[in-house]
Amino acid sequence: MSGHLFALSLRLLLLGMLFAGPVSIPGAHAAEPVPGDSADEPQTRIARAALALAAVRRSLEDADAPETLKTLAEKALAAQRDAEAAVRALEPRLQQIDARIAQLGTPAEGSPEGRDISQPRKALALERSGVDSALKRGNLLALEARQLGESIEKMRAQQFGEQLTRKVGSPLSPALWQQFSAQAPADYTRLQGLYRQGAGAAVRAVGKQGWKIPLAGALLAVVLLLPLRLWLRALGRGYAASPRAPAGRLRRTGLAVWLLLVGTLLPGSAAVVAVESLRMIGAIPPRLQAVGDAFVTATFVAAFIAALSACLLVPRRPSWRLLNIDDIAAARLRKYAWGAAALTWLSMLLQAINHAARTSQVGTVMLDGVIALIYVGLISAMLVTLARLHRRQAAHVQAQLQAHPPAAPGERPSNSRSGWLVLGRLAGHLTVLTALAATVLGYLNLAMFTTRQMVWVTVVLLALSLLLKFADDFALWLLAPDSASGRTLRLSTGISAARIEQGGVLLSASARVCLLLLGLTALMAPLGNLTALGGWLETLANGVSLGQAVLKPAALLRGLLALALGLAVMKALQHWLVETYLPKTELDAGTRNSISTVARYLGIVLVVLWALAALGIGFEKLALLASALSVGIGFGLQAITQNFVSGLILLAERPVKIGDWVRIGDQEGDIRRISVRSTEIQAGDKSTLIVPNSELITKTIRNMTMANALGRIQIQFSVPLATDVGRLRQTLLELYRENPAVLEEPSPTVFIDSISAGQVAINSFAHVSSPRSVYAARSELLFALLQRLAEQNIALVTPTDIHLVGEAAVTPAQTR
C-alpha cells in the first residue's frame, strides 16, 4: 500500500507542476467597500475597518489552523491601516474647522449674534461634531485592530509551540506504523480523488482551448531555463574576465551577484510563464491552486539555493572562489547543495499536495519525519566534508609552520582555519543531534523544523555575507576618487578626494545596515508573520511621536536635504562675498573678516531654521527647547557662551582687527583670525596662540597698531665726561638720517639724560612707520653706531667689575 501511495504522490506532483497557479500575495485580502461611498473617503475607510474587524472576530471562533490565523492577522492589520489612514486624513480637516471657528470669534455674553454669524457658527459646529466623532471612532478601531492582531499572533505562537512539541510516537515503535497502515487506504483514496480532479480539469481545459497557449508557455519556459540562462551566465563571466571590469574584489563579488540573480530569476520566471500559460486556458482546479503556488515558490527557493552554491563555491574556477575552501571540498559541497535544493523543492510540493488532499495527521507526520531524516543525512554528509577540510587545512598549516617558523610568538600562519567553518560545524552537529533525538522520541515536527531551519539559516547567512561584500565593494568603487564616477564628481562639484572617499564609506555603511535588516527579516520569516513586521514598518513610516511632535522618515529625509542644500548655497554665497564682492570695496581686511564671519554664522542659523521647518518643528517648539536648555547653558556651557558673546562684541566694536600687532600678558604677535569663540595670534616664531575671546574683552590688551600707531626706537648709552658730546650728538643725528626706515617727522632727537660719576648718559629717540619695524631698525642703528664710534675714537663707558679677595683661611695642616 505504501508503494501505491508513493506512486500516486509522484503523479500528483507532476500534475501540480502542470497546474501551478499564480503566487498569492499576503495581505491582499480586504473587506469590500461600502456601497455608495468613495473608497478614498475617511468615513468609508472607517466603515470598512469596522466591517473587517467584525468579520475577523466571527472567523476567529472557528480558526484552528496556523494558515487561517495568518489570514485573519493580515485582515486585522489591513483594518488597522484603514483606520489609521482615516485618522490621518481627518486630523487636518478638524484643524481647518477649528481655524474657521476661531475666525468667527467668541460670542459676546448678553448680546445676540447676527444671522450672518450665527448660522455659519452652527454649521461649523455641526460639521466639527461629525468629524470629531469619526476621528474618535477611527482611533478606537485602530486600537481594537492592533489588540486583535496581537491576540491572534499570540494564538499563532501558542499553536506553533504546540505543533513543535506534539508527540506522535517514535518511528522505532510499531504503534506509529500500525496507525499509518490503518490510515493508508483512506489517504490513498483522497490522493486518487485529487488526481482525478486535476486530470479532469486539465482534459476539459485543453479540449476547450487547445494546446497552443500551453505549448507556447512551455517553449518560452524552456528558453528561459536553458539557452537564455546559460548565455547570461557566459556573458557575465566574459565581462568579469575582460579589462573593462572594475579592478579589485568587485570583479569577483559582482560576478557572484550576477550569477545569483540569473540563476534565481530565470528558473523562477520560467515557472511563472508556465503557470500563466495554463491559467489563461483555465486549467487550474480550485484544490490544486495551493499546489501551484507552492510550485512557483519552491522553484524560486530551490533555484536560489543552487545559484548561491554555484557562485560561492565555483568548483572549476578556484581563483574566483569567495570561500576559503579547497577544490575537493568545493566539489563535494556543490553536490550537497544541489541535493538540498532538490529536497527543499520536493518537500514543499509534497507538503502542498498532502495539504490539498487533506490526508490524515499520521500521514502528514510520517512525511515530515521522512523529509527530516533525509535532511539529517544531507547535513551529516556536509559535516563529514567540512571535517575532512579541517584536517587538510590543519595539515597545511602544520607544514607551513615546519617550513617557515613564525618570527614572533603567537603569530598565525596565513592559511589558518576560518571561524565560520568552526561555527558551521558546531551548529551542524547540534542540529543533527537534536533532530535525531526528536525523531527517536517521537517529536517528528520538531525534527522537521530543526533541520529545515538549519538549511534556511545557512542559506540566508551565506547570501547575506555575499551581499555585504558586494555592497561594500560597489560603494567604495562607485565613490572612489580615481574611478570614473569619482573623477566626474570631483570635476563637476569641486569636492575633495577625501570627501568623496568618505561618501563611499557612508554609502557602504548604509547599504550594509539595510542588508542586515533584510537578513534579520529573512531569518525571522519562518518563525512568525511578516505582515506584522510590515505593519511595524508602516507605522514607523507614518511617524514616531516625540512628545507633541511627530518625526517621520520622509520629513527627516526632507530636513537633511534642506540642510545639505542650504549649506551648499550658503557656502557659495560666502565664497562670492569673500572672493568677489568684499575685495572690490574700500574696507580693510579686518572689516571684511567681520562681515564675512557674521554672514557665515547668520547663514548657518538660517539654514538650521529652514531644516527644522522642513522637519515640521515650528518656532514655538524651538522657544520651548531653548527655555529647557537655558539652565544647562547657564551652568555647563557658561564659558562657551561667554566666549561666543565676546566674539560678537569683537566683530562689532572691533577693538582689535586682523593685522593688528597686539601684546597680551607677556605674549605679542599679529592677529590672523577672529572667530566667534577664539582669536588666533601669530607670534614672532610663527607659532599660533589660541586666545579665548573673553580674554580680549575682560583683560588689558595693548594694540600697537591701532589708529596707525608709529614705532619708536630708543637708544641709550653712556660715555666718559671728557667726550665731545656735540660731535656725538651730530653723529647720532646723521645715523638717523642715513637709515631709510627712520621717519623725518617726527624728527629724531638726542638728549643728555644725566651727568654723574664721571659719565654722561645719552638718550635718543627716532620713529619708524610701524611697530613691527622697530626691532630690525634698532639693530641696524646699533651696528652703525658702534662702527661710527670706533672710527671716531669715542669710547663707551663699560661697567667696572670689582672683585674682593680676602685672606685665605689657615688650616691646621699648614700650621704644623
Side-chain angles (χ1 to χ4, degrees):
M1 182 65 68
S2 60
H4 292 292
L5 280 174
F6 181 72
L8 186 57
S9 297
L10 288 180
R11 294 167 66 185
L12 284 171
L13 175 61
L14 296 175
L15 188 63
M17 295 169 57
L18 182 66
F19 291 150
V23 180
S24 62
I25 302 175
H29 307 282
E32 295 182 358
V34 179
D37 289 335
S38 174
D40 295 331
E41 286 294 329
Q43 288 82 357
T44 303
R45 290 191 170 188
I46 293 175
R48 186 167 58 210
L51 292 177
L53 283 181
V56 170
R57 289 191 181 95
R58 289 193 302 267
S59 302
L60 191 59
E61 299 176 357
D62 301 328
D64 55 352
E67 293 79 7
T68 307
L69 291 177
K70 180 180 179 181
T71 303
L72 294 179
E74 292 170 355
K75 291 182 178 180
L77 180 60
Q80 179 184 346
R81 292 174 179 173
D82 282 336
E84 291 176 349
V87 168
R88 289 194 300 271
L90 289 173
E91 286 177 349
R93 187 180 301 181
L94 184 64
Q95 294 176 359
Q96 293 175 0
I97 296 174
D98 289 338
R100 292 164 62 185
I101 293 176
Q103 290 294 326
L104 296 177
T106 304
E109 296 182 1
S111 60
E113 285 186 327
R115 186 179 181 86
D116 56 342
I117 299 296
S118 61
Q119 287 186 350
R121 189 187 298 278
K122 291 180 181 179
L124 289 175
L126 182 62
E127 183 180 1
R128 189 188 187 284
S129 176
V131 173
D132 185 62
S133 61
L135 185 64
K136 293 178 179 178
R137 187 185 179 197
N139 286 323
L140 180 60
L141 286 175
L143 179 61
E144 291 178 354
R146 183 169 60 252
Q147 293 175 350
L148 184 59
E150 293 174 356
S151 63
I152 294 175
E153 288 299 322
K154 291 180 181 179
M155 293 176 62
R156 288 191 64 209
Q158 182 179 0
Q159 288 189 4
F160 182 72
E162 293 176 354
Q163 183 180 3
L164 289 182
T165 57
R166 184 182 303 159
K167 186 175 182 180
V168 295
S170 173
L172 302 179
S173 64
L176 181 62
W177 293 100
Q178 291 175 0
Q179 294 177 9
F180 176 70
S181 299
Q183 294 292 334
D187 291 341
Y188 180 72
T189 303
R190 295 187 184 99
L191 290 172
Q192 276 187 328
L194 184 63
Y195 174 74
R196 285 194 299 267
Q197 182 180 357
V203 170
R204 288 191 299 270
V206 172
K208 183 178 180 180
Q209 301 290 338
W211 287 94
K212 293 182 180 180
I213 296 178
L215 288 178
L219 179 61
L220 181 57
V222 171
V223 171
L224 290 173
L225 187 61
L226 293 177
L228 183 59
R229 182 176 64 89
L230 297 178
W231 178 74
L232 289 177
R233 286 166 59 91
L235 181 65
R237 290 195 181 99
Y239 177 78
S242 66
R244 296 177 299 161
R249 199 178 65 175
L250 181 61
R251 186 189 298 263
R252 294 194 300 164
T253 55
L255 176 61
V257 172
W258 172 257
L259 295 178
L260 179 63
L261 291 175
V262 171
T264 303
L265 296 179
L266 269 296
S269 300
V272 172
V273 168
V275 163
E276 292 299 322
S277 64
L278 292 176
R279 188 169 65 88
M280 290 176 64
I281 64 173
I284 305 174
R287 290 183 61 185
L288 283 175
Q289 192 67 249
V291 179
D293 297 343
F295 168 73
V296 175
T297 305
T299 303
F300 272 106
V301 174
F304 181 78
I305 296 175
L308 181 63
S309 64
C311 65
L312 288 179
L313 297 175
V314 197
R316 299 180 182 179
R317 293 177 176 84
S319 59
W320 294 89
R321 190 175 302 144
L322 295 176
L323 299 180
N324 185 22
I325 57 178
D326 55 19
D327 296 342
I328 301 175
R332 292 182 179 177
L333 290 177
R334 180 79 171 97
K335 296 178 182 178
Y336 298 145
W338 272 100
L343 182 59
T344 301
W345 183 82
L346 186 64
S347 64
M348 293 178 68
L349 280 180
L350 288 178
Q351 287 180 343
I353 292 173
N354 194 31
H355 186 268
R358 300 182 179 92
T359 57
S360 61
Q361 181 179 357
V362 66
T364 303
V365 170
M366 288 296 294
L367 177 63
D368 293 344
V370 171
I371 295 175
L373 290 178
I374 298 176
Y375 271 122
V376 168
L378 190 62
I379 296 173
S380 300
M382 291 183 181
L383 291 177
V384 171
T385 301
L386 293 178
R388 292 175 179 175
L389 173 63
H390 167 60
R391 287 195 293 268
R392 288 194 298 270
Q393 288 181 345
H396 182 68
V397 170
Q398 188 65 27
Q400 278 189 337
L401 290 176
Q402 292 178 358
H404 304 285
E411 182 180 354
R412 299 177 61 187
S414 58
N415 290 330
S416 59
R417 49 177 188 160
S418 54
W420 72 266
L421 187 60
V422 178
L423 293 177
R425 290 181 60 197
L426 178 61
H429 283 96
L430 292 177
T431 301
V432 169
L433 293 176
T434 303
L436 289 177
T439 303
V440 172
L441 295 176
Y443 298 99
L444 298 182
N445 291 332
L446 178 60
M448 178 67 176
F449 176 78
T450 304
T451 52
R452 294 186 68 172
Q453 278 300 107
M454 178 62 192
V455 175
W456 177 247
V457 169
T458 303
V459 170
V460 171
L461 292 181
L462 289 176
L464 184 60
S465 64
L466 171 61
L467 294 179
L468 289 176
K469 292 178 182 178
F470 171 73
D472 186 47
D473 297 339
F474 181 76
L476 295 181
W477 168 81
L478 183 65
L479 295 181
D482 55 348
S483 66
S485 56
R487 289 193 298 269
T488 302
L489 197 59
R490 277 194 298 166
L491 294 176
S492 58
T493 62
I495 302 176
S496 63
R499 292 292 180 86
I500 294 177
E501 193 170 5
Q502 293 172 10
V505 174
L506 292 177
L507 179 62
S508 171
S510 302
R512 289 164 73 90
V513 169
C514 294
L515 288 174
L516 287 174
L517 293 177
L518 183 62
L520 182 61
T521 303
L523 290 176
M524 294 173 56
L527 303 177
N529 189 6
L530 288 181
T531 309
L533 181 60
W536 299 337
L537 294 178
E538 184 176 357
T539 302
L540 180 63
N542 292 332
V544 178
S545 298
L546 298 176
Q548 296 181 352
V550 178
L551 184 61
K552 299 181 179 180
L556 181 61
L557 182 61
R558 193 164 55 245
L560 292 177
L561 182 62
L563 181 63
L565 182 62
L567 290 178
V569 172
M570 187 271 297
K571 185 177 181 180
L573 291 177
Q574 180 80 4
H575 183 270
W576 173 82
L577 185 66
V578 173
E579 302 294 336
T580 303
Y581 177 72
L582 289 179
K584 302 298 189 296
T585 63
E586 298 179 356
L587 302 175
D588 56 18
T591 305
R592 294 200 299 267
N593 174 74
S594 300
I595 294 175
S596 63
T597 303
V598 172
R600 176 171 177 266
Y601 284 100
L602 181 61
I604 292 176
V605 171
L606 293 178
V607 168
V608 171
L609 292 178
W610 184 27
L612 293 176
L615 282 173
I617 301 177
F619 294 105
E620 68 280 358
K621 298 176 182 178
L622 292 180
L624 294 176
L625 180 63
S627 62
L629 294 177
S630 60
V631 177
I633 292 175
F635 288 97
L637 304 178
Q638 182 177 3
I640 296 177
T641 306
Q642 183 181 7
N643 289 325
F644 180 80
V645 175
S646 300
L648 295 179
I649 294 174
L650 288 177
L651 293 173
E653 295 185 357
R654 302 179 66 230
V656 294
K657 59 183 180 297
I658 292 180
D660 285 352
W661 185 29
V662 298
R663 180 191 297 271
I664 178 169
D666 58 348
Q667 301 288 337
E668 63 181 28
D670 295 318
I671 294 180
R672 294 302 183 191
R673 183 173 179 270
I674 301 176
S675 65
V676 294
R677 191 194 67 84
S678 61
T679 299
E680 297 179 5
I681 299 176
Q682 185 177 4
D685 58 355
K686 303 302 181 182
S687 63
T688 301
L689 302 176
I690 307 297
V691 181
N693 289 331
S694 59
E695 297 286 324
L696 301 178
I697 295 297
T698 59
K699 293 186 177 181
T700 302
I701 180 174
R702 181 181 179 184
N703 192 338
M704 301 180 181
T705 55
M706 188 175 183
N708 297 323
L710 301 177
R712 190 180 73 163
I713 300 174
Q714 180 181 16
I715 297 179
Q716 294 176 303
F717 59 92
S718 297
V719 295
L721 186 60
T723 303
D724 187 354
V725 292
R727 190 174 62 161
L728 178 61
R729 181 174 182 273
Q730 189 65 29
T731 300
L732 278 174
L733 293 177
E734 290 177 357
L735 290 176
Y736 285 136
R737 285 194 298 269
E738 293 172 359
N739 194 303
V742 176
L743 299 177
E744 295 182 359
E745 290 293 335
S747 59
T749 55
V750 179
F751 302 96
I752 296 178
D753 193 50
S754 64
I755 301 174
S756 64
Q759 298 178 2
V760 179
I762 304 298
N763 193 1
S764 63
F765 298 94
H767 293 83
V768 292
S769 59
S770 172
R772 297 184 179 87
S773 305
V774 170
Y775 191 82
R778 185 171 180 272
S779 176
E780 292 179 2
L781 288 171
L782 289 176
F783 275 113
L785 176 62
L786 292 176
Q787 185 178 2
R788 190 71 58 87
L789 292 180
E791 292 174 355
Q792 297 181 3
N793 295 322
I794 298 177
L796 296 177
V797 174
T798 58
T800 303
D801 293 337
I802 301 176
H803 300 277
L804 298 178
V805 180
E807 185 178 357
V810 180
T811 62
Q814 293 174 340
T815 57
R816 292 195 294 265

